[in-house]
């Protein structure tokens, strides 16, 4: 009898510990100025200006010259992608880039959707604004902000845009989509001063959406987009109608997370762990700590001395391609590192991969994009937003090969109003680009449930 009582007490403590405490707090922030020099005494120009991606023969000639002058270096025998980008595979990619890739054609594709720029806090912010056209009468249109990460760009969402803005079935919700480039990425101007972190980006994007006339909207993000949209929900929870994420790294470990790490391998049912959860996180030191350490070397460099490594990448197109595309290999499927070609073309086309690389190359934005790690991680992880829960309705599309796997229990410690948690059938870190149909379907289903209620 005493043993039964003790077991019941222990289980009661565990269950109580697993229940998240909703403490509604709002993240605080202040306006900044990221332009060169001192802020002007007059009001900032808030005009929204049309923008087109352009190229020139001189730009392409310079690229070809630099490619032709690159110095190759042999990979170790039988090393595949375990030491980084395999040199034999890189030669094939570079040959395609030099001789077959048509950047002018891709520029036309980029300009398929309307681009704009507007000045916010002293810097030009680039964004796509895609409005649905020729809709049947009565079609519901909802605003959606989509935010990319590193080493991606707004181009990651090009496969999703027609799925979201063109209704496939009568009665579908259709989205009016805004896709900004993070400041310092692609066609958005880089901050000229230190300190531009995810909260600053969140504040700038709130200003952007207000400037476009949206008082409320939905938000989607992965990679840095996860953190920026999360900060947006923490800053203005009444403005963000809901969050849809495909990445939600574990927040600071609390009692439920610690208990699940200690006991989840033997009692997975107690913590709601699935077979996939157990496979991804146990043994914990190897699967979570060890694998994270093995794949985060780039992060330590970019969070400490981004300008040093970035200078070489900004000068060498081949070096830049190797640095970026290696992530599209290993972060898509960790087993791809054991393949001679890194599995790059199993999920993506070289045309799409190199288009993303060209956005970094032609804008010279690799260094400023890497600085975002320094600004967010350089002073530690104990920032105010790390302690504030998210209370807006949230959905996570959990792709099986995401870099940091987060079981549902762990997600709920940060996102207290987790309405949807979908284990996806396949896909990795760049899910919007790799599996646009699956991502768009999950996003639409979640928002339709919120807009119309469950059937």
């Amino acid at each position: 009898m005493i043993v039964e009582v003790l077991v019941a007490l222990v289980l009661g403590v565990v269950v109580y510990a697993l229940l998240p405490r909703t403490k509604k707090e709002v993240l605080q922030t202040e306006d900044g100025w990221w332009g060169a020099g001192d802020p002007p005494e007059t009001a900032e120009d808030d005009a929204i200006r049309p923008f087109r991606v352009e190229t020139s023969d001189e730009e392409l000639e310079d690229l070809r010259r630099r490619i032709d002058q690159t110095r190759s270096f042999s990979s170790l025998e039988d090393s595949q992608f375990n030491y980084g980008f395999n040199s034999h595979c890189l030669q094939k990619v570079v040959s395609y880039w030099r001789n077959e890739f048509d950047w002018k054609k891709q520029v036309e594709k980029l300009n398929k959707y309307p681009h704009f720029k507007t000045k916010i806090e002293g810097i030009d912010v680039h964004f796509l604004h895609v409005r649905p056209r020729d809709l049947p009468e009565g079609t519901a249109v909802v605003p959606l902000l989509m935010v990319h990460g590193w080493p991606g760009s707004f181009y990651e969402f090009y496969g999703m845009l027609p799925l979201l803005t063109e209704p496939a079935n009568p009665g579908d919700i259709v989205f009016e989509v805004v896709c900004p480039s993070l400041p310092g990425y692609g066609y958005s101007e880089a901050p000229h001063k230190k300190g531009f972190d995810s909260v600053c980006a969140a504040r700038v994007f709130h200003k952007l959406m207000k400037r476009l006339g949206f008082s409320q909207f939905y938000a989607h993000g992965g990679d840095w987009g996860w953190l920026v949209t999360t900060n947006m929900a923490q800053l203005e929870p009444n403005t963000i109608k809901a969050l849809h994420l495909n990445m939600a790294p574990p927040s600071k470990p609390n009692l439920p997370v610690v208990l699940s790490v200690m006991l989840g391998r033997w009692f997975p049912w107690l913590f709601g762990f699935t077979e996939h959860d157990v496979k991804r996180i146990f043994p914990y030191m190897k699967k979570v700590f060890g694998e994270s350490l093995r794949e985060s070397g780039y992060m330590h460099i970019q969070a400490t001395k981004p300008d040093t490594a970035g200078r070489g990448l900004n000068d060498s197109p081949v070096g830049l391609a190797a640095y970026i595309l290696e992530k599209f290999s290993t972060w898509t499927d960790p087993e791809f590192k054991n393949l001679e070609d890194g599995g790059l073309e199993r999920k993506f086309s070289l045309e799409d991969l190199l288009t993303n690389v060209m956005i970094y190359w032609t804008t010279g934005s690799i260094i400023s994009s890497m600085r975002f790690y320094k600004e967010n991680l350089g002073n530690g992880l104990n920032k105010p937003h790390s302690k504030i829960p998210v209370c807006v309705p949230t959905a996570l599309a959990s792709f099986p090969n995401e870099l940091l796997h987060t079981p549902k229990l762990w997600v709920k410690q940060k996102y207290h109003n987790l309405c949807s948690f979908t284990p996806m059938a396949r896909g990795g870190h760049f899910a919007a680009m790799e599996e646009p149909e699956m991502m768009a379907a999950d996003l639409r289903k979640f928002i339709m449930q919120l807009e119309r209620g469950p059937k």
Side-chain angles (χ1 to χ4, degrees), residues 160-182:
M160 288 182 66
L161 286 174
L163 303 174
L164 296 174
T165 60
E166 302 169 11
N169 303 299
D172 271 355
I173 283 179
V174 182
F175 297 91
E176 181 175 347
V177 182
V178 177
C179 290
S181 294
L182 287 166

Side-chain angles (χ1 to χ4, degrees), residues 94-398:
V94 170
S95 176
Y96 173 84
W97 194 7
R98 171 65 174 81
N99 301 309
E100 299 179 52
F101 179 73
D102 189 345
W103 175 233
K104 290 184 177 180
K105 173 187 171 186
Q106 292 307 102
V107 165
E108 291 179 9
K109 181 177 180 180
L110 292 179
N111 287 321
K112 173 182 178 182
Y113 296 110
H115 295 248
F116 301 89
K117 285 188 177 185
T118 190
K119 188 81 72 176
I120 302 176
E121 297 193 5
I123 53 176
D124 264 339
V125 177
H126 160 261
F127 63 97
L128 298 178
H129 189 179
V130 187
R131 298 176 174 90
R133 295 181 298 177
D134 304 322
L135 295 178
E137 186 176 348
T139 303
V141 178
V142 297
L144 172 67
L145 176 78
M146 303 180 75
V147 184
H148 67 88
W150 187 93
S153 65
F154 65 91
Y155 185 66
E156 288 181 74
F157 300 123
Y158 264 52
M160 288 182 66
L161 286 174
L163 303 174
L164 296 174
T165 60
E166 302 169 11
N169 303 299
D172 271 355
I173 283 179
V174 182
F175 297 91
E176 181 175 347
V177 182
V178 177
C179 290
S181 294
L182 287 166
Y185 287 67
Y187 303 106
S188 278
E189 185 178 353
H192 295 265
K193 295 174 172 60
K194 297 183 293 183
F196 190 93
D197 61 10
S198 63
V199 177
C200 298
R203 184 180 65 243
V204 164
F205 288 169
H206 267 303
K207 291 182 178 182
L208 170 64
M209 295 301 279
K210 287 182 174 67
R211 192 168 292 181
L212 293 174
F214 299 114
S215 58
Q216 285 188 313
F217 53 92
Y218 293 95
H220 164 83
D223 195 86
W224 281 128
W226 141 73
L227 185 55
V228 171
T229 55
T230 292
N231 292 160
M232 293 180 76
Q234 293 169 316
L235 285 169
E236 298 188 28
N238 294 325
T239 300
I240 303 296
K241 297 183 72 174
L243 280 179
H244 184 272
L245 308 171
N246 61 280
M247 177 181 174
S251 54
K252 289 191 172 184
N254 55 10
L255 182 58
V257 172
V258 172
L259 286 172
S260 71
V261 170
M262 294 172 61
L263 304 174
R265 190 174 185 181
W266 294 277
F267 306 102
W269 53 270
L270 188 59
F271 305 96
F273 284 175
T274 65
E275 184 178 344
H276 182 68
D277 292 332
V278 174
K279 177 183 176 183
R280 284 295 309 269
I281 62 179
F282 296 112
Y284 183 82
M285 289 303 291
K286 175 184 178 183
K287 293 293 184 70
V288 177
F289 182 78
E291 291 186 5
S292 296
L293 188 63
R294 185 161 50 246
E295 286 300 323
S296 59
Y298 80 98
M299 183 174 66
H300 295 283
I301 293 172
Q302 295 177 189
T304 52
K305 303 292 179 65
D307 287 26
T308 304
R311 188 57 185 261
L313 301 175
N314 197 52
D315 242 20
S316 169
V318 175
L320 179 68
Y323 196 69
I324 289 177
L325 297 186
E326 185 263 325
K327 305 309 179 194
F328 278 84
S329 167
T330 309
W331 294 2
T332 298
D333 188 327
E335 294 304 315
F336 283 178
K337 66 179 178 290
N338 298 317
L339 301 175
E340 292 291 340
D341 63 356
L344 279 174
E345 292 183 80
R346 295 191 178 194
K347 294 289 187 173
F348 311 104
S349 70
L350 284 182
E351 190 173 68
D352 284 338
L353 291 172
L354 289 171
T355 297
N356 183 64
V357 171
M358 285 293 284
I359 290 171
Y360 281 86
W361 175 256
T362 58
T363 58
S365 59
I366 187 62
I367 297 175
S368 51
S369 75
M370 293 163 69
R371 287 175 183 163
F372 204 53
Y373 285 79
K374 173 81 169 177
E375 306 297 6
N376 283 292
L377 305 174
N379 294 319
L381 304 175
N382 198 33
K383 292 197 172 186
H385 65 76
S386 67
K387 307 168 188 175
I388 298 177
V390 176
C391 297
V392 307
T394 304
L396 178 68
S398 179

